[in-house]
Amino acid sequence: MPYTAEQFQYFEQLIRGEADISWRAWWKRNEATLKVQLPRAEYLRIKFGLVEYAFKLLQEAGVDIEWGPAASREHYYARLHESVLDEKGRPSAEFQRKKYQGALRDLKAGDQEKAQRKIKRIIRQALKNREEYECEELCDIQFDGAQMLASGIDDEIKLGLALTREIASLEDTDDIISVPIQYARDALAKYEGT
């Protein structure tokens, strides 16, 4: 394997939720080294495979490790744009406050009703804005909700649960939006253990 012991140690810490920095911050610090260190094909696999590929590398190396909430959280963070991350590669406080029109802030403050009203409004707007054969925004909201449910972070789980429940409650009479609705229902069932 063309990776160093130190790099493998980081991958393991990341998957277990013990790393000091998330994937994006680590990648920023190590990209130039990896570009020289790795064969081109391997460099591209790690660059675009992100946390999932690091997990695969650990498994192939025989490391006894499982994909859990910490890994899901890091996978979610790695897919966020750098502009919303702090210096450690985690969502910035400003991003968290603004997320879903401040619904996360409302949930943290214990105002479930206010957060739910905002979420309903966001989803109604996504449905209103969609083209006849497109539901990208609703799919994005559903994906965010599912990722938050798997994040292992209490506040993220609360918001993910609110988003997922709202989408799952929609009528799926429209075959275009039935896909994200079904995914939301599946994510909710998985989270609730049913």
Side-chain angles (χ1 to χ4, degrees), residues 150-178:
S151 72
I153 302 170
D154 288 342
D155 291 331
E156 292 277 331
I157 291 170
K158 287 178 187 174
L159 182 56
L161 197 53
L163 292 169
T164 303
R165 282 186 174 147
E166 191 60 35
I167 294 172
S169 73
L170 296 173
E171 289 187 42
D172 62 354
T173 54
D174 179 335
D175 64 341
I176 302 298
I177 65 168
S178 66

PDB file of all heavy atoms in Angstrom, residues 150-178:
ATOM      1  N   ALA A 150     -28.073  10.123  10.603  1.00  0.00           N
ATOM      2  CA  ALA A 150     -26.972   9.182  10.809  1.00  0.00           C
ATOM      3  C   ALA A 150     -25.732   9.839  11.404  1.00  0.00           C
ATOM      4  O   ALA A 150     -24.725   9.178  11.630  1.00  0.00           O
ATOM      5  CB  ALA A 150     -26.608   8.522   9.478  1.00  0.00           C
ATOM      6  N   SER A 151     -25.786  11.135  11.689  1.00  0.00           N
ATOM      7  CA  SER A 151     -24.586  11.877  12.089  1.00  0.00           C
ATOM      8  C   SER A 151     -24.080  11.574  13.486  1.00  0.00           C
ATOM      9  O   SER A 151     -22.903  11.744  13.774  1.00  0.00           O
ATOM     10  CB  SER A 151     -24.852  13.390  11.986  1.00  0.00           C
ATOM     11  OG  SER A 151     -25.723  13.802  13.033  1.00  0.00           O
ATOM     12  N   GLY A 152     -24.964  11.154  14.371  1.00  0.00           N
ATOM     13  CA  GLY A 152     -24.551  10.922  15.751  1.00  0.00           C
ATOM     14  C   GLY A 152     -24.480  12.183  16.589  1.00  0.00           C
ATOM     15  O   GLY A 152     -24.076  12.146  17.744  1.00  0.00           O
ATOM     16  N   ILE A 153     -24.867  13.315  16.038  1.00  0.00           N
ATOM     17  CA  ILE A 153     -24.833  14.595  16.751  1.00  0.00           C
ATOM     18  C   ILE A 153     -26.268  14.968  17.105  1.00  0.00           C
ATOM     19  O   ILE A 153     -27.114  15.101  16.221  1.00  0.00           O
ATOM     20  CB  ILE A 153     -24.201  15.697  15.879  1.00  0.00           C
ATOM     21  CG1 ILE A 153     -22.788  15.299  15.469  1.00  0.00           C
ATOM     22  CG2 ILE A 153     -24.200  17.033  16.609  1.00  0.00           C
ATOM     23  CD1 ILE A 153     -22.188  16.199  14.426  1.00  0.00           C
ATOM     24  N   ASP A 154     -26.554  15.140  18.389  1.00  0.00           N
ATOM     25  CA  ASP A 154     -27.930  15.353  18.854  1.00  0.00           C
ATOM     26  C   ASP A 154     -28.673  16.442  18.097  1.00  0.00           C
ATOM     27  O   ASP A 154     -29.801  16.228  17.638  1.00  0.00           O
ATOM     28  CB  ASP A 154     -27.950  15.674  20.355  1.00  0.00           C
ATOM     29  CG  ASP A 154     -27.633  14.448  21.202  1.00  0.00           C
ATOM     30  OD1 ASP A 154     -27.733  13.321  20.683  1.00  0.00           O
ATOM     31  OD2 ASP A 154     -27.280  14.622  22.376  1.00  0.00           O
ATOM     32  N   ASP A 155     -28.064  17.630  17.964  1.00  0.00           N
ATOM     33  CA  ASP A 155     -28.749  18.739  17.284  1.00  0.00           C
ATOM     34  C   ASP A 155     -29.004  18.418  15.818  1.00  0.00           C
ATOM     35  O   ASP A 155     -30.059  18.734  15.275  1.00  0.00           O
ATOM     36  CB  ASP A 155     -27.940  20.027  17.410  1.00  0.00           C
ATOM     37  CG  ASP A 155     -27.915  20.560  18.833  1.00  0.00           C
ATOM     38  OD1 ASP A 155     -28.888  20.321  19.570  1.00  0.00           O
ATOM     39  OD2 ASP A 155     -26.921  21.195  19.210  1.00  0.00           O
ATOM     40  N   GLU A 156     -28.023  17.789  15.165  1.00  0.00           N
ATOM     41  CA  GLU A 156     -28.188  17.409  13.757  1.00  0.00           C
ATOM     42  C   GLU A 156     -29.307  16.376  13.621  1.00  0.00           C
ATOM     43  O   GLU A 156     -30.113  16.437  12.701  1.00  0.00           O
ATOM     44  CB  GLU A 156     -26.881  16.839  13.199  1.00  0.00           C
ATOM     45  CG  GLU A 156     -25.766  17.830  13.069  1.00  0.00           C
ATOM     46  CD  GLU A 156     -25.841  18.635  11.798  1.00  0.00           C
ATOM     47  OE1 GLU A 156     -26.363  18.161  10.780  1.00  0.00           O
ATOM     48  OE2 GLU A 156     -25.357  19.784  11.817  1.00  0.00           O
ATOM     49  N   ILE A 157     -29.351  15.433  14.557  1.00  0.00           N
ATOM     50  CA  ILE A 157     -30.391  14.402  14.517  1.00  0.00           C
ATOM     51  C   ILE A 157     -31.772  15.038  14.647  1.00  0.00           C
ATOM     52  O   ILE A 157     -32.699  14.668  13.926  1.00  0.00           O
ATOM     53  CB  ILE A 157     -30.158  13.341  15.610  1.00  0.00           C
ATOM     54  CG1 ILE A 157     -28.910  12.513  15.274  1.00  0.00           C
ATOM     55  CG2 ILE A 157     -31.375  12.438  15.775  1.00  0.00           C
ATOM     56  CD1 ILE A 157     -28.445  11.588  16.383  1.00  0.00           C
ATOM     57  N   LYS A 158     -31.914  16.017  15.544  1.00  0.00           N
ATOM     58  CA  LYS A 158     -33.210  16.679  15.719  1.00  0.00           C
ATOM     59  C   LYS A 158     -33.672  17.334  14.424  1.00  0.00           C
ATOM     60  O   LYS A 158     -34.830  17.202  14.020  1.00  0.00           O
ATOM     61  CB  LYS A 158     -33.119  17.740  16.817  1.00  0.00           C
ATOM     62  CG  LYS A 158     -33.039  17.182  18.208  1.00  0.00           C
ATOM     63  CD  LYS A 158     -32.894  18.314  19.216  1.00  0.00           C
ATOM     64  CE  LYS A 158     -32.635  17.790  20.610  1.00  0.00           C
ATOM     65  NZ  LYS A 158     -32.364  18.871  21.557  1.00  0.00           N
ATOM     66  N   LEU A 159     -32.767  18.050  13.770  1.00  0.00           N
ATOM     67  CA  LEU A 159     -33.138  18.709  12.517  1.00  0.00           C
ATOM     68  C   LEU A 159     -33.388  17.671  11.428  1.00  0.00           C
ATOM     69  O   LEU A 159     -34.354  17.775  10.669  1.00  0.00           O
ATOM     70  CB  LEU A 159     -32.050  19.701  12.082  1.00  0.00           C
ATOM     71  CG  LEU A 159     -32.342  20.484  10.797  1.00  0.00           C
ATOM     72  CD1 LEU A 159     -33.662  21.239  10.879  1.00  0.00           C
ATOM     73  CD2 LEU A 159     -31.199  21.456  10.500  1.00  0.00           C
ATOM     74  N   GLY A 160     -32.532  16.666  11.356  1.00  0.00           N
ATOM     75  CA  GLY A 160     -32.723  15.592  10.372  1.00  0.00           C
ATOM     76  C   GLY A 160     -34.048  14.886  10.546  1.00  0.00           C
ATOM     77  O   GLY A 160     -34.743  14.568   9.571  1.00  0.00           O
ATOM     78  N   LEU A 161     -34.426  14.663  11.786  1.00  0.00           N
ATOM     79  CA  LEU A 161     -35.698  14.017  12.080  1.00  0.00           C
ATOM     80  C   LEU A 161     -36.870  14.895  11.637  1.00  0.00           C
ATOM     81  O   LEU A 161     -37.829  14.414  11.020  1.00  0.00           O
ATOM     82  CB  LEU A 161     -35.778  13.723  13.578  1.00  0.00           C
ATOM     83  CG  LEU A 161     -36.797  12.725  14.070  1.00  0.00           C
ATOM     84  CD1 LEU A 161     -36.687  11.402  13.331  1.00  0.00           C
ATOM     85  CD2 LEU A 161     -36.626  12.514  15.567  1.00  0.00           C
ATOM     86  N   ALA A 162     -36.784  16.181  11.922  1.00  0.00           N
ATOM     87  CA  ALA A 162     -37.856  17.104  11.521  1.00  0.00           C
ATOM     88  C   ALA A 162     -37.981  17.155   9.994  1.00  0.00           C
ATOM     89  O   ALA A 162     -39.096  17.088   9.460  1.00  0.00           O
ATOM     90  CB  ALA A 162     -37.583  18.493  12.086  1.00  0.00           C
ATOM     91  N   LEU A 163     -36.861  17.254   9.294  1.00  0.00           N
ATOM     92  CA  LEU A 163     -36.894  17.293   7.824  1.00  0.00           C
ATOM     93  C   LEU A 163     -37.446  15.992   7.261  1.00  0.00           C
ATOM     94  O   LEU A 163     -38.308  15.996   6.371  1.00  0.00           O
ATOM     95  CB  LEU A 163     -35.483  17.528   7.275  1.00  0.00           C
ATOM     96  CG  LEU A 163     -34.848  18.885   7.524  1.00  0.00           C
ATOM     97  CD1 LEU A 163     -33.369  18.859   7.171  1.00  0.00           C
ATOM     98  CD2 LEU A 163     -35.563  19.968   6.742  1.00  0.00           C
ATOM     99  N   THR A 164     -36.941  14.884   7.766  1.00  0.00           N
ATOM    100  CA  THR A 164     -37.326  13.576   7.246  1.00  0.00           C
ATOM    101  C   THR A 164     -38.798  13.287   7.504  1.00  0.00           C
ATOM    102  O   THR A 164     -39.511  12.793   6.619  1.00  0.00           O
ATOM    103  CB  THR A 164     -36.435  12.479   7.860  1.00  0.00           C
ATOM    104  OG1 THR A 164     -35.063  12.797   7.578  1.00  0.00           O
ATOM    105  CG2 THR A 164     -36.744  11.110   7.284  1.00  0.00           C
ATOM    106  N   ARG A 165     -39.264  13.600   8.695  1.00  0.00           N
ATOM    107  CA  ARG A 165     -40.683  13.377   9.006  1.00  0.00           C
ATOM    108  C   ARG A 165     -41.591  14.212   8.107  1.00  0.00           C
ATOM    109  O   ARG A 165     -42.637  13.745   7.659  1.00  0.00           O
ATOM    110  CB  ARG A 165     -40.958  13.702  10.472  1.00  0.00           C
ATOM    111  CG  ARG A 165     -40.521  12.611  11.404  1.00  0.00           C
ATOM    112  CD  ARG A 165     -40.922  12.890  12.828  1.00  0.00           C
ATOM    113  NE  ARG A 165     -40.604  11.760  13.668  1.00  0.00           N
ATOM    114  CZ  ARG A 165     -40.235  11.850  14.925  1.00  0.00           C
ATOM    115  NH1 ARG A 165     -40.155  13.028  15.518  1.00  0.00           N
ATOM    116  NH2 ARG A 165     -39.958  10.767  15.620  1.00  0.00           N
ATOM    117  N   GLU A 166     -41.183  15.450   7.857  1.00  0.00           N
ATOM    118  CA  GLU A 166     -42.012  16.329   7.020  1.00  0.00           C
ATOM    119  C   GLU A 166     -42.101  15.789   5.596  1.00  0.00           C
ATOM    120  O   GLU A 166     -43.180  15.766   5.006  1.00  0.00           O
ATOM    121  CB  GLU A 166     -41.450  17.745   7.031  1.00  0.00           C
ATOM    122  CG  GLU A 166     -42.358  18.769   6.414  1.00  0.00           C
ATOM    123  CD  GLU A 166     -43.708  18.897   7.108  1.00  0.00           C
ATOM    124  OE1 GLU A 166     -43.773  18.755   8.346  1.00  0.00           O
ATOM    125  OE2 GLU A 166     -44.702  19.140   6.399  1.00  0.00           O
ATOM    126  N   ILE A 167     -40.995  15.347   5.036  1.00  0.00           N
ATOM    127  CA  ILE A 167     -41.018  14.797   3.674  1.00  0.00           C
ATOM    128  C   ILE A 167     -41.778  13.476   3.652  1.00  0.00           C
ATOM    129  O   ILE A 167     -42.578  13.220   2.751  1.00  0.00           O
ATOM    130  CB  ILE A 167     -39.589  14.642   3.119  1.00  0.00           C
ATOM    131  CG1 ILE A 167     -38.964  16.026   2.934  1.00  0.00           C
ATOM    132  CG2 ILE A 167     -39.597  13.879   1.796  1.00  0.00           C
ATOM    133  CD1 ILE A 167     -37.501  16.012   2.581  1.00  0.00           C
ATOM    134  N   ALA A 168     -41.559  12.633   4.654  1.00  0.00           N
ATOM    135  CA  ALA A 168     -42.239  11.337   4.716  1.00  0.00           C
ATOM    136  C   ALA A 168     -43.753  11.492   4.835  1.00  0.00           C
ATOM    137  O   ALA A 168     -44.507  10.604   4.414  1.00  0.00           O
ATOM    138  CB  ALA A 168     -41.700  10.523   5.889  1.00  0.00           C
ATOM    139  N   SER A 169     -44.207  12.624   5.371  1.00  0.00           N
ATOM    140  CA  SER A 169     -45.650  12.837   5.557  1.00  0.00           C
ATOM    141  C   SER A 169     -46.352  13.321   4.281  1.00  0.00           C
ATOM    142  O   SER A 169     -47.570  13.368   4.229  1.00  0.00           O
ATOM    143  CB  SER A 169     -45.890  13.852   6.682  1.00  0.00           C
ATOM    144  OG  SER A 169     -45.559  15.160   6.249  1.00  0.00           O
ATOM    145  N   LEU A 170     -45.577  13.666   3.261  1.00  0.00           N
ATOM    146  CA  LEU A 170     -46.174  14.143   2.011  1.00  0.00           C
ATOM    147  C   LEU A 170     -46.927  13.015   1.304  1.00  0.00           C
ATOM    148  O   LEU A 170     -46.562  11.845   1.420  1.00  0.00           O
ATOM    149  CB  LEU A 170     -45.095  14.686   1.074  1.00  0.00           C
ATOM    150  CG  LEU A 170     -44.324  15.914   1.533  1.00  0.00           C
ATOM    151  CD1 LEU A 170     -43.174  16.203   0.566  1.00  0.00           C
ATOM    152  CD2 LEU A 170     -45.241  17.126   1.651  1.00  0.00           C
ATOM    153  N   GLU A 171     -47.950  13.387   0.551  1.00  0.00           N
ATOM    154  CA  GLU A 171     -48.652  12.398  -0.269  1.00  0.00           C
ATOM    155  C   GLU A 171     -47.786  12.083  -1.475  1.00  0.00           C
ATOM    156  O   GLU A 171     -47.272  12.993  -2.136  1.00  0.00           O
ATOM    157  CB  GLU A 171     -49.998  12.951  -0.725  1.00  0.00           C
ATOM    158  CG  GLU A 171     -51.016  13.058   0.385  1.00  0.00           C
ATOM    159  CD  GLU A 171     -52.377  13.447  -0.156  1.00  0.00           C
ATOM    160  OE1 GLU A 171     -52.783  12.922  -1.209  1.00  0.00           O
ATOM    161  OE2 GLU A 171     -53.021  14.291   0.488  1.00  0.00           O
ATOM    162  N   ASP A 172     -47.636  10.794  -1.755  1.00  0.00           N
ATOM    163  CA  ASP A 172     -46.768  10.409  -2.872  1.00  0.00           C
ATOM    164  C   ASP A 172     -47.574  10.018  -4.113  1.00  0.00           C
ATOM    165  O   ASP A 172     -47.267   9.066  -4.803  1.00  0.00           O
ATOM    166  CB  ASP A 172     -45.795   9.311  -2.466  1.00  0.00           C
ATOM    167  CG  ASP A 172     -46.491   8.024  -2.050  1.00  0.00           C
ATOM    168  OD1 ASP A 172     -47.731   8.019  -1.959  1.00  0.00           O
ATOM    169  OD2 ASP A 172     -45.783   7.036  -1.829  1.00  0.00           O
ATOM    170  N   THR A 173     -48.578  10.804  -4.405  1.00  0.00           N
ATOM    171  CA  THR A 173     -49.404  10.551  -5.587  1.00  0.00           C
ATOM    172  C   THR A 173     -48.705  10.977  -6.876  1.00  0.00           C
ATOM    173  O   THR A 173     -49.073  10.557  -7.949  1.00  0.00           O
ATOM    174  CB  THR A 173     -50.751  11.293  -5.469  1.00  0.00           C
ATOM    175  OG1 THR A 173     -50.490  12.675  -5.211  1.00  0.00           O
ATOM    176  CG2 THR A 173     -51.585  10.720  -4.336  1.00  0.00           C
ATOM    177  N   ASP A 174     -47.685  11.805  -6.754  1.00  0.00           N
ATOM    178  CA  ASP A 174     -46.904  12.285  -7.894  1.00  0.00           C
ATOM    179  C   ASP A 174     -45.680  11.382  -8.023  1.00  0.00           C
ATOM    180  O   ASP A 174     -44.865  11.304  -7.107  1.00  0.00           O
ATOM    181  CB  ASP A 174     -46.500  13.738  -7.621  1.00  0.00           C
ATOM    182  CG  ASP A 174     -45.658  14.351  -8.727  1.00  0.00           C
ATOM    183  OD1 ASP A 174     -44.990  13.593  -9.460  1.00  0.00           O
ATOM    184  OD2 ASP A 174     -45.655  15.574  -8.844  1.00  0.00           O
ATOM    185  N   ASP A 175     -45.552  10.678  -9.150  1.00  0.00           N
ATOM    186  CA  ASP A 175     -44.443   9.730  -9.276  1.00  0.00           C
ATOM    187  C   ASP A 175     -43.072  10.398  -9.284  1.00  0.00           C
ATOM    188  O   ASP A 175     -42.066   9.755  -9.014  1.00  0.00           O
ATOM    189  CB  ASP A 175     -44.616   8.831 -10.499  1.00  0.00           C
ATOM    190  CG  ASP A 175     -44.588   9.594 -11.816  1.00  0.00           C
ATOM    191  OD1 ASP A 175     -44.797  10.819 -11.803  1.00  0.00           O
ATOM    192  OD2 ASP A 175     -44.369   8.956 -12.859  1.00  0.00           O
ATOM    193  N   ILE A 176     -42.993  11.688  -9.558  1.00  0.00           N
ATOM    194  CA  ILE A 176     -41.714  12.391  -9.550  1.00  0.00           C
ATOM    195  C   ILE A 176     -41.215  12.573  -8.122  1.00  0.00           C
ATOM    196  O   ILE A 176     -40.057  12.315  -7.817  1.00  0.00           O
ATOM    197  CB  ILE A 176     -41.819  13.777 -10.244  1.00  0.00           C
ATOM    198  CG1 ILE A 176     -42.309  13.628 -11.681  1.00  0.00           C
ATOM    199  CG2 ILE A 176     -40.491  14.510 -10.184  1.00  0.00           C
ATOM    200  CD1 ILE A 176     -41.419  12.821 -12.589  1.00  0.00           C
ATOM    201  N   ILE A 177     -42.089  13.006  -7.231  1.00  0.00           N
ATOM    202  CA  ILE A 177     -41.644  13.235  -5.853  1.00  0.00           C
ATOM    203  C   ILE A 177     -41.770  11.992  -4.976  1.00  0.00           C
ATOM    204  O   ILE A 177     -41.344  12.000  -3.833  1.00  0.00           O
ATOM    205  CB  ILE A 177     -42.378  14.424  -5.198  1.00  0.00           C
ATOM    206  CG1 ILE A 177     -43.873  14.146  -5.034  1.00  0.00           C
ATOM    207  CG2 ILE A 177     -42.097  15.714  -5.946  1.00  0.00           C
ATOM    208  CD1 ILE A 177     -44.586  15.132  -4.148  1.00  0.00           C
ATOM    209  N   SER A 178     -42.316  10.915  -5.520  1.00  0.00           N
ATOM    210  CA  SER A 178     -42.481   9.706  -4.710  1.00  0.00           C
ATOM    211  C   SER A 178     -41.134   9.106  -4.305  1.00  0.00           C
ATOM    212  O   SER A 178     -41.031   8.473  -3.261  1.00  0.00           O
ATOM    213  CB  SER A 178     -43.333   8.665  -5.443  1.00  0.00           C
ATOM    214  OG  SER A 178     -42.669   8.201  -6.593  1.00  0.00           O
TER     215      SER A 178
END
